[in-house]
Amino acid sequence: MSETIESILDEHRSFKPPQGHQGNIASLQAYHSLCEAFSNDSDATWKDLATEHLNWKSPFSNVLNQQNAPFFRWFEGGTLNLSENCLDRHIDAGLGERNAIIWESEAGEVRHISYSELLANVCRAANAMLTLGIRAGDRVVIYMPMIPEAAITMLACTRIGAIHSVVFGAFSPQALKDRIEDTQARLVITADGGGRRGGVHALKPNVDAALSEGCQSVEHVLIVRHAGNDIEMKAQRDLNWHEALHAESEHCEPLAVDSEHPLFILYTSGSTGKPKGILHSTAGYLLWARLTMLWTFDFKPESDVFWCTADVGWITGHTYSVYGPLACGGTTVMYEGVPTYPDPGRLWKICADHDVTIFYTAPTAIRALIKAGDEWPNQHDLSGLRILGTVGEPINPEAWMWYHNVIGKGRCPIVDTWWQTETGGHMIAPLPYATPTKPGSATLPLPGIDIAVVDEEGQEVSDGGGLLVLRKPWPSMLRGVWGDDQRYIDTYWEKFKGKYYFAGDGARRDEDGYMWIMGRVDDVLNVSGHRLGTMEIESALVSHEAVAEAAVVGRPHDIKGEAVCAFVTLKGDVDDASAQALATQLRAHVTKEIGAIAKPDDIRFSNSLPKTRSGKIMRRLLRDIAAGREITSDTSTLEDQSVVQQLQKSR
Ligand code: WTA
């Protein structure tokens, strides 16, 4: 995204926070004093926040245990139940009739689910799991469309201490199988299908395919009847969700678990190997989900309607479609469908219809909607919006300005939030009524978060770009990589010898201390705000019988941010006509192995790949070629000089 980075570096506009609002953090001064409280006594500040914001069954005795770093332990000795904090607590406070979830389907069906109704369903689902023999610590894989039952299932797991692992519904049977096997899940919860672009995206057949070989750990599959597509039910193994829940009581005692009890595993791509199972634990994650809702979104649960467009298959959907808003006792909107169906005004119509006040989406969606034209948002009454958020990738200043002017009519602060699956919640973000914003900058670290930009040796850089690190542990940090402690250490802590958490992003801090995120510095692509490992896509390609070798890089893309470009060498020769057919086959093959989000946009065939004399693929060179840029890398170490011309011609 070279143009974008240059325009970001030239960006000098600044926008003051709107006046006349009583924000949860009301001024820059209030922000600085909270930051100061953390620097004076971080343990005491966390202790106060955790005591005030969470309902404990028994209090914690120790704020942070660093003895076994980087395996940190937070709020040791405390016990609590997450679903109780998200449900019972609000009902006890008299909010049982408040909408917890407003759900809309693509076809326009709407459901309002109150806190009392949500609790009753969560209890039934939790009891159904208990009946199936699921106990605390067991893993449950959730493979669902964006329907309330997805949130109900997640909360039901937390009620009994089961560990959920949500797998994004567009992932392939193979990807689902890998995750089931890695977690050794005993139960899979799915739906017959989900609504997408006016049709049905079948899910249950993918579960059948995933379970057809291996996956010995799975004893049962629970199926929500939703889309009405034909499905096969396997006797003994498969059960109907509605029947199972109907048979259960709507009361289920919440299990008090330890603060550090594993809460969920969510897979994400890295630069090496298969996706990693990022492990989060209960108290710290919940605390940060709630605090960031209150701080970054200035959430006022009594009057706000919050809508995060992310699917529950991603961390953004976990923290900000489900746990954050519910931990605060507020209303969250869920939409099952594509943003442009039946027309590009759909998101704005939903905002107007449900009186959404805080809206949170990804830059890729904003860019796609800019292209569709201003007439779409202009058809809807967006006057109820007060805060607009973005996440997932750097937002280019043009998109930021459009969001600000056309959607927010210049009234709504834009909160550009930087964070990761691993961080659990926001790390860098403006506070809407305190922090002046600059288009393209995620601005300042949140209180309690210690961010630095350092060079390869870990020295802080004052000028120019560097690597983004977190210098202190924080409550919602990942607790490890499921089943692979060494990989946790190697990926995040090895680079700076255990001293800093290495995020994998490049960043620059400007003269005001504002952070400008420059994108990944490793072999991870960010396609439409989704993380994809180049190696994962390469492995998928070489598993095709015709492929000898493959190298995958990103190239700038107007809407997706990055597009997937694959350079492929084949085992035999192919003529141009068969190359076309093979490219189509390879795209389908990657879709089958991983899912459509990983499907290469470009496939280029060549006789060999550019390598150094020591045999390393020259990725920078490939990135220049993919982008059609002038070649900036030194090609003198290239083993076969003619390969560059051949690749440039291979479009
Ligand atoms: C990128 C998504 C720039 C970044 C919550 C990070 C961002 C990766 C931003 C994590 C942002 C996320 N500005 N880049 N506001 N937010 N990223 O795990 O590269 O799916 O490392 O978590 O997305 O992606 P993940």
Side-chain angles (χ1 to χ4, degrees):
M1 241 201 265
S2 62
E3 298 87 344
T4 311
I5 286 179
E6 264 135 40
S7 53
I8 284 179
L9 292 177
D10 278 344
E11 182 57 57
H12 292 292
R13 283 170 289 197
S14 168
F15 294 85
K16 288 206 172 70
Q19 300 302 301
H21 287 264
Q22 191 55 47
N24 290 333
I25 295 187
S27 64
L28 205 52
Q29 207 182 353
Y31 160 76
H32 285 303
S33 27
L34 192 48
C35 293
E36 218 176 284
F38 276 108
S39 42
N40 291 342
D41 192 342
S42 129
D43 275 14
T45 312
W46 285 122
K47 181 180 176 199
D48 289 348
L49 288 167
T51 310
E52 178 192 338
H53 287 272
L54 299 183
N55 258 18
W56 295 90
K57 269 276 189 302
S58 53
F60 54 92
S61 48
N62 187 19
V63 174
L64 171 62
N65 180 342
Q66 314 209 41
Q67 271 164 15
N68 196 21
F71 296 91
F72 299 95
R73 297 180 65 81
W74 283 87
F75 310 121
E76 270 182 329
T79 63
L80 75 174
N81 180 275
L82 188 141
S83 74
E84 190 179 36
N85 270 273
C86 287
L87 302 169
D88 312 57
R89 167 187 189 175
H90 310 308
I91 296 165
D92 294 347
L95 306 175
E97 293 316 301
R98 181 179 285 171
N99 286 328
I101 298 176
I102 301 176
W103 171 80
E104 182 167 320
S105 75
E106 206 180 57
E109 187 191 342
V110 174
R111 276 170 70 187
H112 289 86
I113 301 174
S114 68
Y115 270 91
S116 301
E117 195 186 334
L118 185 59
L119 175 63
N121 281 315
V122 166
C123 287
R124 285 183 195 279
N127 285 329
M129 283 193 242
L130 289 172
T131 302
L132 293 176
I134 301 299
R135 294 291 178 267
D138 286 343
R139 273 80 61 205
V140 174
V141 161
I142 302 175
Y143 186 63
M144 294 253 231
M146 268 306 268
I147 53 178
E149 286 76 5
I152 292 171
T153 310
M154 290 161 77
L155 288 158
C157 287
T158 73
R159 192 126 189 123
I160 60 171
I163 307 169
H164 63 68
S165 186
V166 184
V167 178
F168 179 48
F171 275 133
S172 68
Q174 182 60 45
L176 176 62
K177 177 179 173 198
D178 289 345
R179 287 154 176 78
I180 293 172
E181 292 203 319
D182 196 55
T183 53
Q184 288 293 300
R186 296 181 60 197
L187 174 65
V188 176
I189 305 189
T190 188
D192 46 7
R196 227 176 147 69
R197 284 207 173 82
V200 171
H201 165 61
L203 290 163
K204 171 63 167 50
N206 287 354
V207 175
D208 292 338
L211 298 185
S212 65
E213 234 188 272
C215 296
Q216 295 302 325
S217 60
V218 176
E219 293 157 20
H220 290 105
V221 180
L222 204 49
I223 303 121
V224 177
R225 272 308 213 164
H226 171 67
N229 48 313
D230 281 341
I231 54 167
E232 279 174 28
M233 295 290 275
K234 191 169 169 197
Q236 318 298 330
R237 188 194 73 185
D238 294 352
L239 300 159
N240 178 305
W241 160 279
H242 310 273
E243 286 167 15
L245 264 67
H246 189 70
E248 300 292 344
S249 146
E250 58 181 50
H251 297 282
C252 175
E253 197 50 38
L255 181 75
V257 297
D258 190 271
S259 294
E260 282 298 344
H261 185 73
L263 174 61
F264 65 81
I265 303 165
L266 185 59
Y267 285 79
T268 191
S269 296
S271 39
T272 57
K274 292 211 173 211
K276 307 182 274 286
I278 300 300
L279 176 68
H280 280 284
S281 70
T282 306
Y285 171 85
L286 181 65
L287 175 66
W288 198 239
R290 182 172 150 110
L291 288 177
T292 50
M293 275 309 292
L294 297 173
W295 293 352
T296 313
F297 293 122
D298 189 56
F299 193 45
K300 306 266 166 55
E302 60 285 359
S303 51
D304 279 318
V305 174
F306 181 82
W307 184 20
C308 161
T309 64
D311 190 279
V312 284
W314 307 106
I315 190 70
T316 309
H318 279 59
T319 310
Y320 299 107
S321 289
V322 180
Y323 291 128
L326 299 180
C328 296
T331 304
T332 182
V333 174
M334 277 176 102
Y335 168 58
E336 181 204 4
V338 297
T340 47
Y341 190 90
D343 63 50
R346 187 61 186 268
L347 298 187
W348 316 125
K349 183 173 185 325
I350 296 175
C351 285
D353 287 352
H354 300 298
D355 302 317
V356 171
T357 56
I358 307 171
F359 178 72
Y360 190 35
T361 195
T364 185
I366 298 169
R367 288 191 297 261
L369 295 169
I370 295 176
K371 268 221 155 120
D374 296 2
E375 62 271 29
W376 296 106
N378 289 344
Q379 281 170 20
H380 302 281
D381 177 7
L382 300 179
S383 61
L385 288 171
R386 70 178 183 101
I387 292 167
L388 301 171
T390 82
V391 59
E393 48 177 322
I395 181 164
N396 43 314
E398 297 75 21
W400 195 102
M401 287 307 298
W402 183 85
Y403 203 27
H404 182 69
N405 290 327
V406 179
I407 305 306
K409 315 283 184 238
R411 291 179 301 105
C412 305
I414 307 284
V415 291
D416 173 1
T417 61
W418 177 87
W419 59 295
Q420 310 179 295
T421 306
E422 293 86 341
T423 68
H426 304 150
M427 295 285 106
I428 309 176
L431 303 171
Y433 300 114
T435 317
T437 49
K438 301 184 189 184
S441 170
T443 77
L444 305 170
L446 288 173
I449 303 304
D450 186 356
I451 298 270
V453 180
V454 301
D455 62 18
E456 288 285 336
E457 275 68 55
Q459 296 300 318
E460 209 166 345
V461 291
S462 50
D463 209 12
L467 305 172
L468 191 64
V469 296
L470 286 144
R471 291 188 293 200
K472 286 205 184 110
W474 64 101
S476 66
M477 67 195 302
L478 75 165
R479 296 303 194 266
V481 170
W482 182 254
D484 199 343
D485 286 351
Q486 195 55 44
R487 201 168 169 202
Y488 167 66
I489 295 169
D490 293 347
T491 312
Y492 305 103
W493 301 96
E494 202 39 46
K495 188 158 180 78
F496 297 109
K497 308 278 169 278
K499 234 171 108 190
Y500 302 149
Y501 167 88
F502 171 54
D505 278 306
R508 183 180 139 259
R509 205 193 272 260
D510 73 12
E511 57 284 3
D512 297 324
Y514 274 42
M515 304 294 309
W516 301 78
I517 310 295
M518 297 308 187
R520 301 290 304 191
V521 294
D522 52 9
D523 291 322
V524 172
L525 304 184
N526 193 326
V527 179
S528 302
H530 297 148
R531 257 165 89 166
L532 292 170
T534 48
M535 199 172 154
E536 246 179 285
I537 309 177
E538 288 161 6
S539 315
L541 285 165
V542 297
S543 72
H544 188 279
E545 58 194 8
V547 175
E549 221 182 356
V552 166
V553 295
R555 70 161 166 83
H557 186 281
D558 277 0
I559 294 188
K560 299 180 182 185
E562 267 187 305
V564 179
C565 183
F567 293 87
V568 172
T569 65
L570 297 169
K571 285 184 182 151
D573 286 336
V574 281
D575 54 36
D576 282 356
S578 12
Q580 282 295 333
L582 191 57
T584 310
Q585 260 187 43
L586 290 179
R587 283 196 186 94
H589 184 69
V590 174
T591 304
K592 186 176 129 262
E593 291 292 306
I594 306 173
I597 54 168
K599 190 167 66 180
D601 294 82
D602 310 339
I603 294 190
R604 295 186 175 200
F605 297 108
S606 68
N607 295 338
S608 62
L609 294 175
K611 288 192 188 141
T612 61
R613 293 198 176 95
S614 61
K616 273 182 85 174
I617 292 179
M618 299 174 74
R619 289 178 176 277
R620 230 181 71 203
L621 176 64
L622 287 178
R623 280 195 282 268
D624 285 340
I625 294 172
R629 281 192 297 254
E630 211 179 298
I631 289 166
T632 51
S633 15
D634 173 12
T635 51
S636 61
T637 57
L638 184 62
E639 203 191 28
D640 173 4
Q641 294 288 335
S642 68
V643 77
V644 175
Q645 280 106 38
Q646 203 203 352
L647 286 167
Q648 283 173 320
K649 277 193 263 155
S650 69
R651 285 193 76 93

